[in-house]
């Protein structure tokens, strides 16, 4: 049974690994040193690299990993801006690595080439979804990101969401400004605070919990729609995509 383990990198990134004790899949190794040290101390070999999108904090370590391990397969979006990808994958493709199968979903919105990997009950979603949050819209539109998040939200509810950043506490602080009475969110805040005080990751989270706590997945909730329609929509009906756009811009202003 393969083991899932996050390796911290930079300030708040996680490089997700799936390993069998000897070989490891590496998801978004943004920093070579962190992951190579982790592999060396555990006497493990990298089996393959999975990339979600082109941002440096996700791909920055790949060139060095390839130098040390020539021939390693690097799966990632078909995009010239990811020169270290050796196997370009996109919507509908299946990555077979370390005896496991991961389905590729196109999830544009944070960036246009962004993809996610789903398999064995895990979702590797890069910067598309965070606990109680989502990525910034750098390319495309908030509608595009909303549609991508809706696809992730439709996965089995026991899916473990492996996000690439430890943004949970900041995201909860923002989420409480738009859903101050959300009991599941208030519970998650207490639990997440305890995890961080103990120096532990708040991730992965269960998709069922994100559906209960993450406002960016809750834009069809009438109460949230009414709240966000107030100042901008004149109190009128706002649909889920419009609610999402307002929410994303409020979060941008929140920091
Ligand atoms: Zn990013
Ligand atoms: Fe990132």
């Amino acid at each position: 049974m393969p083991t899932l383990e996050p390796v911290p990198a930079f300030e708040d990134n996680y490089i997700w690994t799936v390993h069998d004790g000897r070989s490891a899949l590496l998801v978004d190794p943004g920093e070579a040193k962190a992951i190579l040290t982790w592999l060396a101390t555990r006497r493990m070999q990298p089996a393959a690299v999975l990339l979600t999108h082109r941002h440096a904090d996700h791909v920055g370590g790949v060139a060095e990993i390839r130098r040390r391990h020539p021939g390693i397969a690097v799966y990632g979006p078909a995009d010239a801006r990811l020169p270290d990808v050796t196997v370009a994958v996109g919507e509908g493709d299946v990555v077979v690595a370390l005896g496991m199968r991961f389905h590729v979903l196109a999830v544009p919105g944070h960036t246009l080439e962004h993809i996610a990997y789903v398999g064995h009950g895990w979702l590797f979603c890069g910067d598309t979804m965070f606990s109680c949050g989502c990525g910034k819209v750098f390319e495309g539109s908030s509608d595009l990101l909303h549609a991508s998040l809706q696809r992730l939200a439709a996965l089995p509810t026991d899916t473990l969401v492996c996000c690439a950043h430890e943004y949970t506490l900041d995201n909860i602080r923002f989420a409480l400004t738009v859903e101050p009475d959300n009991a599941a969110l208030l519970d998650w805040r207490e639990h997440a605070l305890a995890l961080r005080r103990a120096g532990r990751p708040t991730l992965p989270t269960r998709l069922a919990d994100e559906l209960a706590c993450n406002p960016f997945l809750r834009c069809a909730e009438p109460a949230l729609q009414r709240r966000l329609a107030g100042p901008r929509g004149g109190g009128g009906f706002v649909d889920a995509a419009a609610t999402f756009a307002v929410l994303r811009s409020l979060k941008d202003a929140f920091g």
Side-chain angles (χ1 to χ4, degrees):
M1 184 60 192
T3 303
L4 176 75
E5 206 175 323
V7 178
F10 304 118
E11 289 288 294
D12 50 32
N13 281 72
Y14 292 121
I15 301 168
W16 288 94
T17 69
V18 175
H19 66 82
D20 60 9
R22 297 170 55 182
S23 305
L25 301 181
L26 313 175
V27 184
D28 285 355
E31 189 188 11
K33 188 162 173 276
I35 198 66
L36 290 171
T37 303
W38 182 85
L39 287 165
T41 54
R42 283 153 194 261
R43 295 166 175 245
M44 274 198 265
Q45 292 294 313
V49 173
L50 276 58
L51 301 178
T52 62
H53 69 297
R54 71 181 193 274
H55 285 159
D57 61 312
H58 299 253
V59 305
V62 181
E64 179 65 13
I65 292 167
R66 288 184 73 204
R67 255 194 302 282
R68 305 273 193 104
H69 302 276
I72 189 171
V74 179
Y75 299 89
D79 189 306
R81 295 169 297 185
L82 286 120
D84 283 306
V85 169
T86 64
V87 187
V89 291
E91 177 69 28
D93 287 335
V94 177
V95 171
V96 181
L98 209 61
M100 292 179 284
R101 293 165 63 84
F102 294 94
H103 294 264
V104 178
L105 296 178
V107 286
H110 173 65
T111 62
L112 287 179
E113 83 286 357
H114 204 306
I115 57 175
Y117 301 87
V118 187
H120 301 265
W122 300 313
L123 163 66
F124 299 104
C125 55
D127 286 353
T128 299
M129 194 199 304
F130 302 120
S131 179
C132 295
C134 70
K136 283 197 170 122
V137 178
F138 285 117
E139 292 176 339
S141 63
S142 81
D143 280 2
L144 203 55
L145 181 58
H146 180 240
S148 293
L149 283 167
Q150 288 298 104
R151 293 190 69 198
L152 300 183
L155 291 170
T157 55
D158 58 354
T159 300
L160 292 177
V161 185
C162 305
C163 322
H165 288 274
E166 180 62 65
Y167 289 160
T168 307
L169 292 179
D170 283 345
N171 286 343
I172 290 173
R173 211 170 297 130
F174 170 74
L176 282 168
T177 66
V178 292
E179 287 197 298
D181 305 320
N182 181 332
L185 181 57
L186 289 163
D187 283 353
W188 179 218
R189 178 177 63 176
E190 294 316 305
H191 187 202
L193 277 168
L195 286 169
R196 294 310 289 155
R197 275 195 215 106
R200 292 168 57 193
T202 60
L203 304 167
T205 57
R206 268 183 350 128
L207 182 57
D209 295 326
E210 293 304 321
L211 293 170
C213 295
N214 188 334
F216 293 93
L217 302 185
R218 296 170 54 76
C219 292
E221 290 289 320
L224 187 59
Q225 293 187 348
R226 276 196 302 275
R227 185 178 190 97
L228 297 188
R232 298 187 188 221
F237 174 78
V238 179
D239 69 10
T243 301
F244 182 88
V246 172
L247 197 57
R248 189 55 261 178
S249 62
L250 286 174
K251 177 64 169 68
D252 288 342
F254 187 84

